[in-house]
Amino acid sequence: MQMNKVLSVRFAAGGVVAAAALTLAGCGGGDSGKDNPYGLEEAGTVLAAVSTDQPPFATADKGGKPQGFIVDLTDEVAKRLKLKVEYKASAVPAALQGLSSGQYDLAASGLGVTAERQKQVSFTKGVYWSTTTVLTRKNSTAAKLTDFSGKRVGDITGAVQQEFVKSKMPGAKQVQFQNQNSAVSQLLSGNLDAFVVGGPDADAYLKKYGTLKPAVSAPVDHATAMAVQKKNTKFQQAFDGQLGAMVQDGTFLKIYKKWFVEAPRPELVKIWPALGAQVGQGAEGTQGGSSS
């Protein structure tokens, strides 16, 4: 089943809300009047697309409810803005397109901020700084990017890792997937030689599957953030404002530590300087340890 066709389940920032309880009065497709100060598609409700195969940023629990780092941040921001959140499962390309067409207010996934994507959507301030990891099976001898020439290397359609494979893995046979779970399944079965994915996602799969290992890991050159409609600067500014307040009062770091073991990278501290004192990094972002 395509992720963007999965039936939506409605949640408040703190829990489940019956569909009948959602107030649709005054939605007006982005009306920015006093009843809808953030210019949302439905007044009082954030329509959020979420890719639930992106651990630890966003996954689905046994009941299908989204959970993860990005979900916790979104719920807390919505709570502070006195808004509800309606999550709809969607693959990243469909989520970005949905922002452009007015289907969603927010793409609540861990998205790489790239110049190409910025032509289509706007981004919140960065909430993570990631790495790129090439996952292989433990019986693989590949240890550098050039070792994958002629090999079947998977990536996700629309993901920033596609360009990584094209530009940094010469000769690799690129195989595209619609979601990460399918790619990992093919890697485990031996139908793929490698799967290129974000570092935190890779860490989650390494913990889950003992037959996998990281062959190569490299830092990225862009922040990880959430996306909003390009036209909706009011919501973007309000969202960023609450993220900043969460950094200042320690809520951001508390949520961060719930989902990540490693300290925030220096690049993220430069985005949010107040994190520096909280995690023991100096003004220049010096870090005592890093995942890669």
Tab-separated table of all heavy atoms in Angstrom, residues 139-177:
chain	number	residue	atom	x	y	z
A	139	ASN	N	28.873	-9.970	6.059
A	139	ASN	CA	29.773	-10.788	5.244
A	139	ASN	C	30.355	-10.018	4.062
A	139	ASN	O	31.127	-10.551	3.277
A	139	ASN	CB	29.065	-12.046	4.746
A	139	ASN	CG	27.840	-11.734	3.887
A	139	ASN	OD1	27.546	-10.576	3.594
A	139	ASN	ND2	27.129	-12.778	3.479
A	140	SER	N	29.998	-8.725	3.936
A	140	SER	CA	30.533	-7.899	2.850
A	140	SER	C	31.948	-7.439	3.180
A	140	SER	O	32.266	-7.126	4.330
A	140	SER	CB	29.639	-6.681	2.633
A	140	SER	OG	30.228	-5.778	1.714
A	141	THR	N	32.791	-7.378	2.152
A	141	THR	CA	34.171	-6.895	2.332
A	141	THR	C	34.321	-5.424	1.930
A	141	THR	O	35.400	-4.854	2.062
A	141	THR	CB	35.151	-7.742	1.503
A	141	THR	OG1	34.786	-7.669	0.114
A	141	THR	CG2	35.131	-9.201	1.960
A	142	ALA	N	33.247	-4.808	1.438
A	142	ALA	CA	33.311	-3.416	0.993
A	142	ALA	C	33.564	-2.501	2.186
A	142	ALA	O	32.904	-2.618	3.222
A	142	ALA	CB	32.015	-3.028	0.300
A	143	ALA	N	34.531	-1.593	2.026
A	143	ALA	CA	34.894	-0.715	3.135
A	143	ALA	C	35.064	0.742	2.709
A	143	ALA	O	35.319	1.598	3.551
A	143	ALA	CB	36.186	-1.207	3.785
A	144	LYS	N	34.954	1.006	1.408
A	144	LYS	CA	35.032	2.384	0.924
A	144	LYS	C	34.067	2.558	-0.240
A	144	LYS	O	33.589	1.578	-0.826
A	144	LYS	CB	36.463	2.746	0.519
A	144	LYS	CG	37.110	1.831	-0.488
A	144	LYS	CD	38.556	2.239	-0.708
A	144	LYS	CE	39.243	1.393	-1.775
A	144	LYS	NZ	39.319	-0.020	-1.386
A	145	LEU	N	33.770	3.799	-0.568
A	145	LEU	CA	32.719	4.078	-1.541
A	145	LEU	C	33.010	3.492	-2.914
A	145	LEU	O	32.092	3.045	-3.615
A	145	LEU	CB	32.520	5.595	-1.652
A	145	LEU	CG	31.997	6.287	-0.383
A	145	LEU	CD1	31.912	7.793	-0.588
A	145	LEU	CD2	30.628	5.743	0.018
A	146	THR	N	34.252	3.441	-3.303
A	146	THR	CA	34.598	2.897	-4.618
A	146	THR	C	34.462	1.377	-4.684
A	146	THR	O	34.495	0.805	-5.771
A	146	THR	CB	36.032	3.290	-4.994
A	146	THR	OG1	36.918	2.919	-3.927
A	146	THR	CG2	36.142	4.799	-5.212
A	147	ASP	N	34.280	0.725	-3.550
A	147	ASP	CA	34.122	-0.733	-3.538
A	147	ASP	C	32.750	-1.177	-4.047
A	147	ASP	O	32.516	-2.378	-4.221
A	147	ASP	CB	34.309	-1.283	-2.114
A	147	ASP	CG	35.753	-1.215	-1.647
A	147	ASP	OD1	36.639	-1.093	-2.507
A	147	ASP	OD2	35.973	-1.262	-0.424
A	148	PHE	N	31.860	-0.212	-4.290
A	148	PHE	CA	30.499	-0.583	-4.690
A	148	PHE	C	30.254	-0.453	-6.189
A	148	PHE	O	29.117	-0.537	-6.651
A	148	PHE	CB	29.488	0.259	-3.914
A	148	PHE	CG	29.483	-0.063	-2.446
A	148	PHE	CD1	30.255	0.674	-1.562
A	148	PHE	CD2	28.743	-1.130	-1.956
A	148	PHE	CE1	30.275	0.366	-0.208
A	148	PHE	CE2	28.753	-1.445	-0.600
A	148	PHE	CZ	29.529	-0.702	0.276
A	149	SER	N	31.311	-0.274	-6.954
A	149	SER	CA	31.168	-0.239	-8.409
A	149	SER	C	30.625	-1.582	-8.897
A	149	SER	O	31.144	-2.638	-8.538
A	149	SER	CB	32.521	0.050	-9.062
A	149	SER	OG	32.397	0.074	-10.471
A	150	GLY	N	29.560	-1.533	-9.674
A	150	GLY	CA	28.943	-2.754	-10.175
A	150	GLY	C	27.997	-3.419	-9.198
A	150	GLY	O	27.367	-4.427	-9.530
A	151	LYS	N	27.887	-2.880	-7.992
A	151	LYS	CA	27.035	-3.463	-6.959
A	151	LYS	C	25.655	-2.791	-6.957
A	151	LYS	O	25.501	-1.638	-7.360
A	151	LYS	CB	27.673	-3.289	-5.576
A	151	LYS	CG	29.080	-3.862	-5.457
A	151	LYS	CD	29.077	-5.374	-5.578
A	151	LYS	CE	30.471	-5.945	-5.311
A	151	LYS	NZ	30.488	-7.426	-5.438
A	152	ARG	N	24.665	-3.529	-6.483
A	152	ARG	CA	23.303	-2.999	-6.362
A	152	ARG	C	23.185	-2.210	-5.050
A	152	ARG	O	23.299	-2.774	-3.963
A	152	ARG	CB	22.284	-4.142	-6.393
A	152	ARG	CG	22.114	-4.756	-7.781
A	152	ARG	CD	21.265	-6.028	-7.730
A	152	ARG	NE	19.972	-5.812	-7.099
A	152	ARG	CZ	18.881	-5.340	-7.702
A	152	ARG	NH1	18.958	-5.022	-9.001
A	152	ARG	NH2	17.745	-5.189	-7.061
A	153	VAL	N	22.968	-0.904	-5.194
A	153	VAL	CA	22.922	-0.010	-4.033
A	153	VAL	C	21.548	0.656	-3.971
A	153	VAL	O	21.125	1.329	-4.901
A	153	VAL	CB	24.025	1.061	-4.112
A	153	VAL	CG1	23.915	2.027	-2.936
A	153	VAL	CG2	25.395	0.397	-4.141
A	154	GLY	N	20.854	0.460	-2.861
A	154	GLY	CA	19.509	1.006	-2.715
A	154	GLY	C	19.482	2.379	-2.096
A	154	GLY	O	20.339	2.738	-1.277
A	155	ASP	N	18.491	3.178	-2.483
A	155	ASP	CA	18.200	4.456	-1.841
A	155	ASP	C	16.703	4.706	-1.970
A	155	ASP	O	15.986	3.942	-2.616
A	155	ASP	CB	19.027	5.604	-2.431
A	155	ASP	CG	18.877	5.723	-3.944
A	155	ASP	OD1	17.749	5.521	-4.446
A	155	ASP	OD2	19.860	6.017	-4.620
A	156	ILE	N	16.223	5.759	-1.343
A	156	ILE	CA	14.800	6.055	-1.325
A	156	ILE	C	14.475	7.160	-2.323
A	156	ILE	O	15.156	8.186	-2.370
A	156	ILE	CB	14.350	6.482	0.088
A	156	ILE	CG1	14.710	5.398	1.097
A	156	ILE	CG2	12.851	6.767	0.116
A	156	ILE	CD1	14.124	4.033	0.808
A	157	THR	N	13.440	6.937	-3.117
A	157	THR	CA	13.009	7.918	-4.106
A	157	THR	C	12.749	9.270	-3.445
A	157	THR	O	12.002	9.364	-2.471
A	157	THR	CB	11.727	7.443	-4.811
A	157	THR	OG1	11.980	6.197	-5.459
A	157	THR	CG2	11.258	8.454	-5.833
A	158	GLY	N	13.392	10.292	-3.958
A	158	GLY	CA	13.213	11.637	-3.433
A	158	GLY	C	14.092	11.992	-2.254
A	158	GLY	O	14.089	13.136	-1.807
A	159	ALA	N	14.857	11.031	-1.728
A	159	ALA	CA	15.710	11.288	-0.569
A	159	ALA	C	17.024	11.931	-1.000
A	159	ALA	O	17.486	11.753	-2.138
A	159	ALA	CB	15.992	9.990	0.180
A	160	VAL	N	17.656	12.664	-0.085
A	160	VAL	CA	18.923	13.320	-0.406
A	160	VAL	C	20.028	12.300	-0.676
A	160	VAL	O	21.024	12.611	-1.336
A	160	VAL	CB	19.344	14.275	0.724
A	160	VAL	CG1	18.364	15.426	0.851
A	160	VAL	CG2	19.482	13.545	2.053
A	161	GLN	N	19.867	11.070	-0.180
A	161	GLN	CA	20.892	10.044	-0.406
A	161	GLN	C	20.993	9.622	-1.867
A	161	GLN	O	21.995	9.034	-2.275
A	161	GLN	CB	20.620	8.817	0.468
A	161	GLN	CG	20.894	9.020	1.949
A	161	GLN	CD	19.772	9.739	2.658
A	161	GLN	OE1	18.616	9.671	2.237
A	161	GLN	NE2	20.084	10.426	3.750
A	162	GLN	N	19.988	9.922	-2.671
A	162	GLN	CA	20.069	9.585	-4.095
A	162	GLN	C	21.239	10.299	-4.760
A	162	GLN	O	21.978	9.712	-5.546
A	162	GLN	CB	18.759	9.950	-4.801
A	162	GLN	CG	17.625	8.979	-4.511
A	162	GLN	CD	16.462	9.174	-5.454
A	162	GLN	OE1	15.917	10.278	-5.574
A	162	GLN	NE2	16.073	8.110	-6.133
A	163	GLU	N	21.411	11.567	-4.434
A	163	GLU	CA	22.518	12.328	-5.016
A	163	GLU	C	23.850	11.813	-4.481
A	163	GLU	O	24.865	11.810	-5.201
A	163	GLU	CB	22.345	13.811	-4.709
A	163	GLU	CG	23.431	14.703	-5.302
A	163	GLU	CD	23.544	14.580	-6.803
A	163	GLU	OE1	22.525	14.345	-7.476
A	163	GLU	OE2	24.685	14.711	-7.318
A	164	PHE	N	23.867	11.380	-3.226
A	164	PHE	CA	25.077	10.809	-2.639
A	164	PHE	C	25.536	9.597	-3.444
A	164	PHE	O	26.724	9.463	-3.781
A	164	PHE	CB	24.811	10.408	-1.188
A	164	PHE	CG	26.009	9.869	-0.455
A	164	PHE	CD1	26.823	10.705	0.295
A	164	PHE	CD2	26.326	8.513	-0.503
A	164	PHE	CE1	27.939	10.210	0.974
A	164	PHE	CE2	27.430	8.012	0.174
A	164	PHE	CZ	28.233	8.859	0.915
A	165	VAL	N	24.603	8.715	-3.768
A	165	VAL	CA	24.949	7.516	-4.539
A	165	VAL	C	25.468	7.909	-5.921
A	165	VAL	O	26.485	7.389	-6.398
A	165	VAL	CB	23.736	6.577	-4.667
A	165	VAL	CG1	24.073	5.378	-5.563
A	165	VAL	CG2	23.295	6.085	-3.293
A	166	LYS	N	24.777	8.850	-6.567
A	166	LYS	CA	25.159	9.261	-7.917
A	166	LYS	C	26.543	9.902	-7.964
A	166	LYS	O	27.350	9.638	-8.863
A	166	LYS	CB	24.136	10.245	-8.484
A	166	LYS	CG	22.785	9.623	-8.795
A	166	LYS	CD	21.821	10.687	-9.298
A	166	LYS	CE	20.446	10.115	-9.592
A	166	LYS	NZ	19.492	11.160	-10.038
A	167	SER	N	26.825	10.760	-6.988
A	167	SER	CA	28.050	11.557	-7.057
A	167	SER	C	29.243	10.949	-6.335
A	167	SER	O	30.393	11.252	-6.682
A	167	SER	CB	27.780	12.951	-6.479
A	167	SER	OG	27.415	12.869	-5.103
A	168	LYS	N	28.994	10.075	-5.345
A	168	LYS	CA	30.099	9.599	-4.524
A	168	LYS	C	30.342	8.088	-4.591
A	168	LYS	O	31.297	7.595	-3.994
A	168	LYS	CB	29.865	10.006	-3.054
A	168	LYS	CG	29.805	11.519	-2.848
A	168	LYS	CD	29.654	11.885	-1.384
A	168	LYS	CE	29.557	13.393	-1.196
A	168	LYS	NZ	30.767	14.114	-1.666
A	169	MET	N	29.486	7.369	-5.324
A	169	MET	CA	29.654	5.925	-5.434
A	169	MET	C	29.727	5.541	-6.902
A	169	MET	O	28.787	4.987	-7.481
A	169	MET	CB	28.512	5.198	-4.712
A	169	MET	CG	28.400	5.572	-3.240
A	169	MET	SD	27.046	4.752	-2.345
A	169	MET	CE	27.720	3.088	-2.180
A	170	PRO	N	30.857	5.858	-7.555
A	170	PRO	CA	30.984	5.649	-8.998
A	170	PRO	C	30.781	4.189	-9.402
A	170	PRO	O	31.322	3.279	-8.794
A	170	PRO	CB	32.433	6.094	-9.283
A	170	PRO	CG	33.142	5.984	-7.969
A	170	PRO	CD	32.114	6.329	-6.939
A	171	GLY	N	29.942	4.012	-10.425
A	171	GLY	CA	29.714	2.671	-10.962
A	171	GLY	C	28.667	1.861	-10.230
A	171	GLY	O	28.337	0.748	-10.643
A	172	ALA	N	28.119	2.404	-9.154
A	172	ALA	CA	27.095	1.664	-8.398
A	172	ALA	C	25.812	1.570	-9.220
A	172	ALA	O	25.444	2.498	-9.940
A	172	ALA	CB	26.807	2.354	-7.072
A	173	LYS	N	25.142	0.433	-9.118
A	173	LYS	CA	23.859	0.237	-9.782
A	173	LYS	C	22.755	0.684	-8.827
A	173	LYS	O	22.409	-0.018	-7.891
A	173	LYS	CB	23.677	-1.235	-10.165
A	173	LYS	CG	24.711	-1.741	-11.177
A	173	LYS	CD	24.500	-3.219	-11.482
A	173	LYS	CE	25.520	-3.710	-12.494
A	173	LYS	NZ	25.346	-5.169	-12.778
A	174	GLN	N	22.226	1.862	-9.085
A	174	GLN	CA	21.279	2.487	-8.177
A	174	GLN	C	19.905	1.830	-8.283
A	174	GLN	O	19.339	1.698	-9.364
A	174	GLN	CB	21.173	3.979	-8.504
A	174	GLN	CG	20.603	4.830	-7.405
A	174	GLN	CD	20.902	6.309	-7.640
A	174	GLN	OE1	21.388	6.700	-8.699
A	174	GLN	NE2	20.621	7.150	-6.662
A	175	VAL	N	19.372	1.412	-7.126
A	175	VAL	CA	18.056	0.791	-7.060
A	175	VAL	C	17.180	1.625	-6.138
A	175	VAL	O	17.519	1.814	-4.968
A	175	VAL	CB	18.135	-0.662	-6.526
A	175	VAL	CG1	16.752	-1.311	-6.551
A	175	VAL	CG2	19.137	-1.486	-7.329
A	176	GLN	N	16.064	2.125	-6.668
A	176	GLN	CA	15.223	3.032	-5.902
A	176	GLN	C	14.070	2.293	-5.227
A	176	GLN	O	13.484	1.372	-5.795
A	176	GLN	CB	14.669	4.130	-6.809
A	176	GLN	CG	15.752	5.018	-7.399
A	176	GLN	CD	15.180	6.136	-8.243
A	176	GLN	OE1	14.023	6.520	-8.080
A	176	GLN	NE2	15.988	6.676	-9.139
A	177	PHE	N	13.740	2.742	-4.012
A	177	PHE	CA	12.637	2.176	-3.238
A	177	PHE	C	11.728	3.302	-2.777
A	177	PHE	O	12.163	4.438	-2.608
A	177	PHE	CB	13.165	1.406	-2.028
A	177	PHE	CG	13.929	0.153	-2.376
A	177	PHE	CD1	15.288	0.205	-2.659
A	177	PHE	CD2	13.274	-1.072	-2.429
A	177	PHE	CE1	15.984	-0.945	-2.991
A	177	PHE	CE2	13.965	-2.229	-2.753
A	177	PHE	CZ	15.324	-2.169	-3.036
